[in-house]
Amino acid sequence: MSIAANKAVSIDYTLTNDAGEVIDSSAGGAPLVYLQGAGNIIPGLEKALEGKDVGDELIVAIEPEEAYGEYSAELVSTLSRSMFEGVDELEVGMQFHASAPDGQMQIVTIRDLDGDDVTVDGNHPLAGQRLNFKVKVISIRDASQEEMAHGHVHGEGGHHH
Ligand SMILES: [Zn+2]
């Protein structure tokens, strides 16, 4: 069985940036389980895995447009401290959920604090970065009707609900 749309796939992976630093890895933990074709993982990785078989190993570099997007200066803005009412102490690096102009929820990170000004950045932390994945395919199975309807994998390594 090869990886194709509506297959539940588990992979071991290590993600490094161009400097060779490990950003994320399944090593020492459970494999990542996802539903192929459902956008559970970044588009570039999904494309690279299409057609692969159990035991296949691949090394792939994914450009930002196929990963978390280009870094957008438009997503950086300066807000007043009063916008953060109820937060005891603001610190650089803190993350908040905010609603973007298009209504989508996004995570913003505080980049700078200067008096009453709070500079926040709505870019994904990995925006603008090329991502280097080393992946091994561990298992592939047909997704259930319910998994396909939900757009994610259930059970071990997946959603429990
Ligand atoms: Zn579900």
Side-chain angles (χ1 to χ4, degrees):
M1 184 182 285
S2 300
I3 296 176
N6 296 323
K7 302 293 183 195
V9 181
S10 65
I11 55 171
D12 273 332
Y13 72 98
T14 298
L15 166 60
T16 51
N17 61 18
D18 276 351
E21 296 162 337
V22 175
I23 297 168
D24 194 13
S25 175
S26 63
L32 172 72
V33 181
Y34 78 96
L35 180 62
Q36 178 78 0
N40 294 170
I41 59 174
I42 57 171
L45 189 55
E46 200 165 64
K47 277 184 199 167
L49 283 161
E50 181 81 19
K52 294 288 184 283
D53 299 302
V54 170
D56 281 357
E57 294 186 57
L58 59 152
I59 291 174
V60 59
I62 299 170
E63 298 298 329
E65 59 266 28
E66 292 280 280
Y68 293 101
E70 297 291 351
Y71 188 87
S72 169
E74 286 175 22
L75 293 175
V76 178
S77 54
T78 301
L79 306 172
S80 159
R81 255 179 205 274
S82 61
M83 301 277 293
F84 296 88
E85 240 174 51
V87 182
D88 287 342
E89 204 163 347
L90 296 177
E91 280 175 45
V92 171
M94 277 178 123
Q95 294 189 316
F96 295 87
H97 288 276
S99 45
D102 62 5
Q104 286 239 322
M105 286 302 288
Q106 62 173 190
I107 292 174
V108 299
T109 306
I110 295 183
R111 291 286 173 227
D112 193 37
L113 294 166
D114 182 15
D116 189 49
D117 291 341
V118 181
T119 303
V120 296
D121 185 348
N123 285 286
H124 187 280
L126 296 176
Q129 290 200 44
R130 180 164 52 187
L131 304 180
N132 303 291
F133 281 94
K134 188 165 178 267
V135 180
K136 183 175 185 184
V137 181
I138 304 300
S139 70
I140 305 168
R141 65 170 169 82
D142 288 318
S144 68
Q145 290 294 337
E146 191 183 45
E147 286 171 325
M148 284 187 252
H150 287 196
H152 56 227
V153 172
H154 293 158
E156 199 176 340
H159 284 245
H160 299 271
H161 60 142

